[in-house]
């Protein structure tokens, strides 16, 4: 199918830049979302210990965003923001809600038997997701990896939210092991040849922490990232003759510490011997925690290289836009050691500053975009952007209509260096967990409210141009900025439909 489309973009579309371009075929789109990958856990963003040659090559061949932000500081709400284009003041899903009213949702054996215990709070039926919008624009749509936006028997599953194909974890709790007893393919439960080893399983009593044999129960038969990669490659091959959108939500490097032995051995040789992780901070123990964490990231990078090679082999490379990012900042549980890797550099990586926090280390994430002959190779942008900008951008790329109620602004003019790039006056977050938080990024100013649920509405103010680690609260010196941010906090917050996400201190 070949046709000419002249896009005069902006007329009648919300927050759309003025770009005029001629397109002979709709581009394929691959959006790769890492899980809990810190801002600087990729070589091109300054990582010094973990090797990511394929992501570095993407940056060399495309564009790096240095001021891009996740939708939220944890998994499910960040993915909701990404897929709907609405920030956390308007989003349906604003936190991780495991929907515990159904029963013991953390009993992995019970979940394996009863799909009613799987999954998180669902997106509402008919939600205008990226998948649905691109379907309407003629795309075959697929999601592989971790979903987290609706339990198996609800309206929130991928196949009812705009995706023709799904393979992976419906439930983000299930992704706490990379050797689950089942995954989902569309609406079919796929049983795997793995025995049940629930997360938080510890070493047997008296086991030798220094003996690799003690850890044999944590590497089983069918490794979910391998299975997912095969499905991604197959989806690309099956849809090579029509425009496709693949949302690849890899569970890596979110703990557990489980990675192919060849990569672990590589990093043991590189890092040398280290102290074991005994499992006391959740997930599973591991003999070589630093080596395994690095191994997971490099394995993910290797998979991205295979995707690029497949596109080239099929003659799709030049007409495919690839985006890569992470759902939030680095974690602090399960044997991960963010300070050792300096995972959020130049921001703080420690507990309370990374995942779960609206500080920069928790929400500023890497983003690399590659589109041969459209994006100038080796470029970098400091455009302040967020996950809710991805939906209008991909709509503009594909010719899909942008819904009226999105909070995002297309950054296509920046990508192709053409037309007027509209910018945000500010970015907004709210997060009902970790004590209740709100944040605003306005120019170089960063305003944060913490401990909202403890009746603290005081705004901490940081000047990121001089204080990138948010160490010096200058709110007493700038009452006019505080007053402006108070008005934004009030204006952008709407009462959440789901009661768990409401904060009475904000008038809910």
């Amino acid at each position: 199918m070949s046709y000419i489309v002249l896009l005069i973009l902006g007329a009648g579309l919300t927050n759309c830049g003025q770009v005029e371009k001629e397109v002979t075929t709709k581009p394929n789109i691959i959006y790769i979302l890492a899980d809990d990958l810190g801002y600087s856990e990729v070589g091109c963003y300054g990582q010094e210990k973990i090797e990511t040659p394929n992501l570095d090559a993407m940056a060399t061949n495309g564009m790096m965003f240095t001021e891009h932000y996740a939708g939220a500081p944890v998994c499910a709400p960040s993915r909701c923001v990404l897929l709907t284009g609405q920030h956390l003041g308007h989003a349906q899903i604003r936190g991780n809600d495991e929907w515990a009213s159904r029963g013991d949702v953390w009993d992995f054996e019970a979940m394996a038997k009863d799909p009613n215990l799987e999954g998180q709070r669902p997106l509402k039926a008919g939600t205008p997701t990226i998948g649905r919008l691109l379907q309407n624009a003629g795309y075959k749509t697929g999601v592989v990896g971790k979903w987290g936006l609706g339990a198996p028997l609800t309206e929130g599953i991928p196949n009812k939210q705009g995706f023709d194909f799904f393979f992976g974890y419906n439930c983000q709790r299930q992704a706490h092991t990379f050797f689950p007893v089942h995954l989902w393919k569309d609406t079919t439960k796929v049983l795997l040849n793995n025995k049940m080893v629930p997360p938080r399983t510890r070493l047997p009593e008296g086991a030798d922490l220094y003996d690799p044999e003690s850890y044999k129960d944590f590497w089983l038969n069918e490794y979910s990232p391998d299975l997912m990669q095969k499905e991604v490659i197959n989806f690309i091959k099956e849809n090579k003759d029509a425009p496709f959108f693949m949302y690849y939500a890899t569970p890596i490097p979110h703990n557990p510490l489980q990675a192919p032995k060849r990569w672990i051995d590589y990093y043991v040789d590189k890092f040398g011997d280290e102290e074991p992780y005994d499992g006391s901070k959740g997930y599973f123990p591991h003999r070589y925690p630093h080596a395994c964490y690095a191994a997971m990231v490099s394995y993910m990078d290797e998979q991205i290289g295979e995707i690029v090679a497949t596109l080239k082999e099929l003659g799709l490379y030049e007409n495919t836009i690839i985006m890569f990012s992470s759902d939030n900042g680095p974690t602090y549980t399960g044997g991960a050691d963010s300070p050792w890797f300096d995972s959020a550099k130049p921001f703080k990586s420690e507990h309370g500053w990374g995942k779960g926090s609206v500080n920069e280390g928790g929400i500023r994430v890497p983003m690399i975009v590659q589109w041969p002959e459209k994006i100038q190779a080796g470029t970098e942008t400091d455009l302040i952007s967020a996950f809710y900008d991805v939906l209008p951008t991909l709509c503009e790329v594909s010719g899909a209509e942008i819904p009226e109620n999105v909070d995002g602004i297309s950054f296509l003019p920046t990508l192709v260096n053409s037309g007027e790039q509209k910018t945000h006056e500010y970015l907004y977050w709210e997060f009902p967990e970790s004590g209740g938080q709100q944040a605003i990024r306005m120019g170089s100013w960063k305003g944060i409210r913490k401990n909202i649920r403890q009746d603290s509405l005081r705004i901490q103010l940081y000047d990121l141009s001089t204080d990138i680690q948010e160490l010096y609260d200058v709110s007493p010196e700038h009452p006019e900025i505080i007053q402006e941010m108070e008005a934004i906090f009030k204006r952008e917050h709407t009462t959440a439909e789901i009661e768990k996400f409401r904060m009475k201190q904000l008038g809910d």
Side-chain angles (χ1 to χ4, degrees), residues 181-201:
V181 296
H182 72 273
L183 293 170
W184 290 87
K185 190 167 190 176
D186 295 325
T187 56
T188 300
K189 192 174 185 177
V190 179
L191 301 182
L192 303 181
N193 183 26
N194 294 324
K195 68 178 182 178
M196 171 64 71
V197 182
R200 292 191 171 274
T201 298

Side-chain angles (χ1 to χ4, degrees), residues 51 67 81-82 91 111 121-122 129 141 146 170 176 187 190 218 235 261 290 296 298 308 322 343 367 422 458 469 481:
E51 298 173 24
E67 303 209 32
V81 170
L82 173 71
M111 267 195 289
R121 288 277 183 180
T129 65
T141 59
K146 188 172 92 172
N170 168 282
H176 287 197
T187 56
V190 179
F218 309 119
F235 180 88
K261 184 177 184 299
H290 290 157
M296 288 195 294
S298 287
V308 170
I322 306 175
S343 297
M367 185 166 78
K422 295 185 177 181
R458 188 179 74 83
Q469 293 196 331
I481 300 295

Side-chain angles (χ1 to χ4, degrees), residues 203-209:
L203 291 174
E205 187 175 349
D208 181 0
L209 268 70

Side-chain angles (χ1 to χ4, degrees), residues 143-157:
V143 54
V144 171
K146 188 172 92 172
W147 179 243
L149 292 172
L153 306 181
T154 71
E155 292 296 317
I157 62 172

Side-chain angles (χ1 to χ4, degrees), residues 209-225:
L209 268 70
Y210 294 88
D211 182 359
E213 279 297 305
S214 299
Y215 301 84
K216 61 184 179 181
D217 276 350
F218 309 119
W219 186 265
L220 302 173
N221 298 311
E222 294 191 85
Y223 184 52
S224 62

